[in-house]
Amino acid sequence: MHSVVLYTVLNLFEGICVQRIACELKMAKLYTFEEVSKHRSIKDCWLVIEGKVYDVSPFMDDHPGGDEVLLSSSGKDATADFEDIGHSDSAKEMMDKYLIGTVDMLTVPKKRAFVPPQEVVSKANKGPDFTIRILQFFVPLLILGLTFVVRSYTKEK
């Protein structure tokens, strides 16, 4: 009886060790930040969280927050983004499946360089959009005014 329990415990421990060794082997691959930041598309998205690199491309459709959240966190150290959300323990365990290596922390910029958005020339007073907005404002007022005129005209007679 004791040998069966001991054997079961050893098998369980061995399974955990095998899983941990496999995880450590995945982490043996060292990526530069520049290499990781090239993977910023829906079909090819990598994230850096706590110095580890995750290929979340297969998870894009299944992520509860949507693929936009993952894409917005790519190309930078996403540790703060990940921790701010407050992921569950099961979500953190799921990450092992997507682990592909580690990032060389010497290549990660200390502060992400600010890239200003491209200036868009305002066309607020031009084109069909402006005309539609004017009509959307004045047509209901015109209908309301006509309603009062018709009501007051029919009420007098």
Side-chain angles (χ1 to χ4, degrees):
M1 169 97 175
H2 293 292
S3 62
V4 172
V5 171
L6 182 60
Y7 179 74
T8 305
V9 169
L10 285 175
N11 277 343
L12 178 62
F13 182 72
E14 183 179 289
I16 292 170
C17 287
V18 167
Q19 186 178 19
R20 177 166 281 165
I21 289 169
C23 184
E24 288 174 4
L25 285 175
K26 283 183 180 180
M27 288 181 53
K29 177 72 174 157
L30 185 66
Y31 297 96
T32 64
F33 182 76
E34 183 180 342
E35 187 177 0
V36 173
S37 63
K38 292 178 183 175
H39 302 271
R40 299 186 65 188
S41 68
I42 291 177
K43 303 242 185 252
D44 184 28
C45 183
W46 292 10
L47 298 179
V48 175
I49 301 172
E50 295 178 354
K52 298 175 185 173
V53 180
Y54 298 92
D55 180 0
V56 294
S57 307
F59 187 61
M60 297 295 277
D61 292 333
D62 300 328
H63 187 264
D67 56 3
E68 302 86 17
V69 174
L70 296 174
L71 284 174
S72 69
S73 295
S74 64
K76 64 178 185 174
D77 185 351
T79 304
D81 293 346
F82 183 79
E83 291 174 352
D84 287 347
I85 299 300
H87 287 87
S88 66
D89 291 336
S90 63
K92 292 177 182 176
E93 290 172 8
M94 187 186 299
M95 291 172 60
D96 288 340
K97 183 172 27 172
Y98 302 105
L99 180 66
I100 59 171
T102 58
V103 67
D104 182 0
M105 293 307 285
L106 297 175
T107 63
V108 177
K110 299 293 179 220
K111 188 174 183 182
R112 187 173 179 201
F114 176 71
V115 178
Q118 294 179 348
E119 287 190 37
V120 178
V121 178
S122 176
K123 296 182 180 179
N125 296 333
K126 301 175 185 171
D129 287 341
F130 182 70
T131 307
I132 290 172
R133 287 185 187 155
I134 293 292
L135 288 175
Q136 287 176 339
F137 179 74
F138 283 115
V139 168
L141 289 177
L142 181 65
I143 292 172
L144 186 61
L146 286 174
T147 304
F148 281 118
V149 168
V150 169
R151 177 146 170 94
S152 64
Y153 178 75
T154 56
K155 193 174 185 181
E156 292 176 1
K157 290 188 177 187

